[in-house]
Amino acid sequence: MRNVPDFLRPNKRNAWLAFVALGLLLLVLPFATDALLGRGWVRIVDFALLYIMLALGLNIVVGYAGLLDLGYVAFFAVGAYTYALLGSPQFGLHLPFWIVLPIGATLACIFGALLGAPTLKLRGDYLAIVTLGFGEIIRIFLNNLNAPLNITNGPQGISQIDAIRVAEFSLGRSQELFGITLPSVHLHYYLFLALTLLVIFISLRLQDSRIGRAWMAIREDEVAASAMGINTRNIKLLAFAMGATFGGVAGGLFAGFQGFVSPESFSLMESIMILCMVVLGGMGNIGGVVLGGVLLVVLPEALRNGAGPVQQVLFGKTLIDPESLRMLLFGVALIVVMLWRPAGLWPSSQRQRELEAHDGEAQQEQDTVYDASR
Amino acid sequence: MSLLEVRDLKVSYGGIHALKGIDLDIAQGELVALIGSNGAGKTTALKALAGLLPGTGQVHYAGQSLHNLPAHQRVRAGLALVPEGRGVFARMSVEENLHMGAYCRDDKAAIVQDLALVYTLFPRLAERRAQLAGTLSGGEQQMVAMGRAMMSRPRLLMLDEPSMGLAPMMVEKIFTTIREISAQGVSILLVEQNAKLALEVASRGYVLEGGKITLSDGADCLLGSDAVQRAYLGA
């Protein structure tokens, strides 16, 4: 703390200033991104917000309750397809978004409980395999529910999905607000930002609640947790249902934003990516999960756009196609981060303490015999 | 009348009968030892009593049948288990662990009092209250597990092998505390492989062999009996 300038010292006033600065930054972010990097990047920022919601939802299951879920994208799919089926020419239904989104969230919640119920006695690798299977079942169903009765339109997916719209105010086209023209991607940004902040708020409150402590107890030791009087069955189901609900909300927004859904968007790779966001960012820590979500969306895009020009500068020509280099670099980045920071980029304070305490452990074991005589 | 009355308790894992029908009684305030060798069914018996394993037979606690009562409600009724291997919440601090013990209580003022009581029972935990439980020594973890169980204000405390893997000095300390808890009027069912230690603190004892109770008597008589001497005390 000695050489830190005054404005960086943590105190109440600085905390407020930082808060206001962050708020302003988030408000102007789409305009700044648009001006500096182009419209396409605003779209990427929107996707980053969707993935943050997903990662925070999975964080409840994996980070808080310690239940390894490899099929999380299924709930994203349930939310997205609910929106797509109820708000598109597919069935000629055009229900408004504020009705469809809660329906999607509720359905995802029910599916979460449905996945949770048969897997209550499973943990770790076994649970991972069952959830993986569940995720695939949902995707395969979506892929094949076009015959004999066409529900999901199969692999072609559902297109011309209604834009997110409240009364006459549609997010699907540019709108004039307070004399400023807001393009569609900007409008989506503000909606997604508001919902992401809501999800962060709920996660924070859950973390410090009775339910949150029960989840952490189950994560640490399930037998002991039930010996504490925790109804482990209900609390685990609640974790699955809560996490799934967040996924369902994100799914609905995704469908409305894209205007198109197909089973391809809900592959196992997506589940793995969301899990990577949670683990790489810092399991159980909201800030870390948000950071993980931002990085894992932005990094592949940055590599896609950056790998070509960098090669031009270094070698004078493009040696390797940026598109094929992208995932290689991305994989390397994942490995490097996990080696360098095994608890994630921004671990929860508990994980942090645990890693720091690790060195002191051996010494303490030795002290025990001596201490016992005190 | 006894606080806990167990009649013909049977537990099986798949086709294997781990408990073949045991009878057990614990009076209010009594300290009873359940001794036996590895695989005799001691932990199974405790888990079944705590509601963590399904069993058949009659179990009456404070005059009420525990039939079909799930584990989390047994804790509310005052039956607390300190699980084998302690089961502390490794990534929570000592104090957070103790608070988890009071999970099913909502009388905040009394919880604060009980926390102070646990800290007088285990002064070492007061020193380490902010430390992560996973970084404590085995003995200290045993203290956390016992203190945590005490936070639920149990009428019957069930201890599963509290001496397991501890240094002799620490074992002594733990057993002194078991006596203190017993002196407060809490009934205790103590499961131990270390028969001598257990019978020294207990007033009565049961010997469990191959899922059946083969002997039951006053602790002094068991300590002196030939069968126990031969089987457990190596005399």
Side-chain angles (χ1 to χ4, degrees):
Chain A
M1 280 289 134
R2 266 166 302 161
N3 301 320
V4 176
D6 187 51
F7 67 93
L8 281 179
R9 284 174 195 278
N11 63 33
K12 217 167 188 180
R13 194 179 58 108
N14 285 347
W16 261 107
L17 281 176
F19 198 70
V20 171
L22 183 68
L24 283 175
L25 179 75
L26 288 174
L27 270 182
V28 301
L29 186 66
F31 291 99
T33 315
D34 197 3
L36 295 172
L37 298 163
R39 188 74 31 106
W41 273 94
V42 184
R43 207 179 152 73
I44 293 167
V45 172
D46 288 358
F47 270 107
L49 287 172
L50 281 179
Y51 276 97
I52 289 171
M53 278 184 239
L54 284 171
L56 284 169
L58 184 62
N59 182 48
I60 289 182
V61 186
V62 178
Y64 291 173
L67 305 162
L68 185 51
D69 184 349
L70 283 184
Y72 185 69
V73 80
F75 309 121
F76 187 47
V78 168
Y81 265 87
T82 307
Y83 190 105
L85 293 172
L86 298 180
S88 75
Q90 175 74 2
F91 293 133
L93 293 169
H94 294 281
L95 299 181
F97 123 93
W98 52 270
I99 292 180
V100 178
L101 202 63
I103 295 177
T106 313
L107 266 179
C109 175
I110 293 168
F111 272 85
L114 275 181
L115 166 67
T119 57
L120 282 169
K121 297 210 164 146
L122 301 177
R123 282 189 76 79
D125 358 18
Y126 306 101
L127 179 62
I129 289 170
V130 174
T131 51
L132 189 153
F134 177 80
E136 285 299 283
I137 287 173
I138 297 282
R139 187 182 62 81
I140 292 166
F141 255 98
L142 295 174
N143 220 356
N144 292 296
L145 275 181
N146 55 349
L149 183 69
N150 186 3
I151 299 173
T152 63
N153 214 16
Q156 279 94 43
I158 298 169
S159 50
Q160 290 175 283
I161 298 169
D162 299 349
I164 297 170
R165 180 164 46 88
V166 181
E168 284 310 296
F169 189 86
S170 169
L171 266 55
R173 55 173 187 270
S174 294
Q175 297 279 355
E176 189 102 5
L177 266 187
F178 314 114
I180 307 164
T181 312
L182 292 163
S184 171
V185 273
H186 289 44
L187 293 168
H188 281 100
Y189 170 83
Y190 291 114
L191 174 69
F192 292 0
L193 180 67
L195 285 166
T196 305
L197 291 176
L198 180 69
V199 168
I200 291 175
F201 177 73
I202 296 171
S203 293
L204 278 172
R205 294 308 302 262
L206 279 174
Q207 192 172 12
D208 299 324
S209 71
R210 219 175 121 75
I211 294 168
R213 282 183 290 127
W215 281 334
M216 283 164 218
I218 289 174
R219 179 187 72 198
E220 299 298 312
D221 190 317
E222 201 171 329
V223 171
S226 80
M228 298 297 103
I230 295 168
N231 186 338
T232 50
R233 183 194 64 197
N234 289 2
I235 293 285
K236 278 166 83 173
L237 279 180
L238 191 64
F240 276 116
M242 284 286 242
T245 308
F246 288 0
V249 170
L253 295 172
F254 171 77
F257 179 47
Q258 283 274 77
F260 168 73
V261 293
S262 79
E264 223 173 284
S265 311
F266 309 107
S267 62
L268 175 63
M269 192 59 202
E270 289 297 309
S271 285
I272 304 274
M273 279 301 256
I274 302 164
L275 187 66
C276 280
M277 291 170 188
V278 175
V279 176
L280 187 97
M283 237 192 292
N285 185 32
I286 294 166
V289 173
V290 171
L291 180 67
V294 171
L295 279 183
L296 289 204
V297 173
V298 169
L299 195 64
E301 295 302 326
L303 289 172
R304 189 208 299 269
N305 296 325
V310 169
Q311 286 187 60
Q312 284 288 350
V313 171
L314 286 179
F315 313 112
K317 58 182 172 190
T318 309
L319 291 173
I320 308 168
D321 174 28
E323 196 54 36
S324 46
L325 194 60
R326 177 169 85 102
M327 287 322 272
L328 174 71
L329 291 175
F330 181 64
V332 170
L334 286 187
I335 292 170
V336 169
V337 169
M338 285 335 281
L339 285 176
W340 170 57
R341 293 192 71 101
L345 287 169
W346 186 357
S348 67
S349 51
Q350 286 174 334
R351 285 285 282 158
Q352 189 73 53
R353 276 191 285 167
E354 183 187 36
L355 286 170
E356 278 165 8
H358 217 68
D359 301 327
E361 216 169 325
Q363 182 58 40
Q364 244 182 50
E365 281 296 333
Q366 288 195 332
D367 292 345
T368 313
V369 177
Y370 158 76
D371 281 351
S373 59
R374 282 182 12 194
Chain B
M1 202 193 83
S2 38
L3 178 66
L4 186 77
E5 201 179 287
V6 181
R7 293 289 171 270
D8 198 28
L9 178 65
K10 287 180 187 153
V11 180
S12 49
Y13 301 99
I16 300 152
H17 302 286
L19 276 188
K20 296 166 184 165
I22 62 165
D23 295 353
L24 211 97
D25 288 276
I26 300 170
Q28 177 70 47
E30 203 179 14
L31 202 173
V32 175
L34 179 62
I35 60 175
S37 57
N38 255 339
K42 306 186 299 292
T43 297
T44 305
L46 280 200
K47 280 192 164 174
L49 290 177
L52 297 171
L53 282 176
T56 60
Q58 288 94 50
V59 180
H60 284 266
Y61 167 79
Q64 300 253 305
S65 170
L66 291 184
H67 188 66
N68 279 343
L69 198 67
H72 62 97
Q73 281 174 24
R74 295 190 189 200
V75 182
R76 281 180 175 78
L79 263 159
L81 169 71
V82 177
E84 188 181 20
R86 327 189 224 287
V88 298
F89 303 126
R91 280 190 269 166
M92 294 188 192
S93 71
V94 168
E95 189 143 320
E96 283 163 345
N97 263 276
L98 296 177
H99 272 294
M100 284 310 301
Y103 182 81
C104 45
R105 294 170 56 185
D106 45 18
D107 43 346
K108 283 212 173 88
I111 291 174
V112 173
Q113 277 178 14
D114 285 356
L115 192 65
L117 268 174
V118 168
Y119 283 143
T120 44
L121 212 54
F122 300 106
R124 279 296 290 279
L125 296 187
E127 290 168 27
R128 306 203 177 248
R129 67 177 73 193
Q131 200 173 324
L132 288 188
T135 66
L136 297 173
S137 74
E140 289 162 344
Q141 289 191 11
Q142 184 61 45
M143 293 177 180
V144 171
M146 284 169 64
R148 195 178 56 181
M150 289 304 288
M151 288 299 290
S152 68
R153 281 209 173 165
R155 280 179 75 187
L156 174 63
L157 183 65
M158 300 186 285
L159 299 165
D160 198 350
E161 302 258 9
S163 76
M164 190 165 73
L166 300 188
M169 294 271 217
M170 196 47 102
V171 171
E172 209 168 290
K173 218 178 152 102
I174 294 287
F175 273 75
T176 312
T177 315
I178 293 175
R179 274 208 182 92
E180 281 171 34
I181 294 172
S182 172
Q184 289 176 12
V186 178
S187 313
I188 297 178
L189 176 57
L190 172 63
V191 156
E192 261 299 336
Q193 249 189 84
N194 190 332
K196 186 163 179 285
L197 261 175
L199 292 174
E200 274 170 7
V201 294
S203 58
R204 282 191 308 116
Y206 293 90
V207 178
L208 191 61
E209 276 176 304
K212 278 186 174 156
I213 298 225
T214 51
L215 267 177
S216 84
D217 211 333
D220 296 335
C221 302
L222 283 181
L223 263 176
S225 92
D226 285 346
V228 174
Q229 285 277 344
R230 246 183 293 124
Y232 300 102
L233 305 177

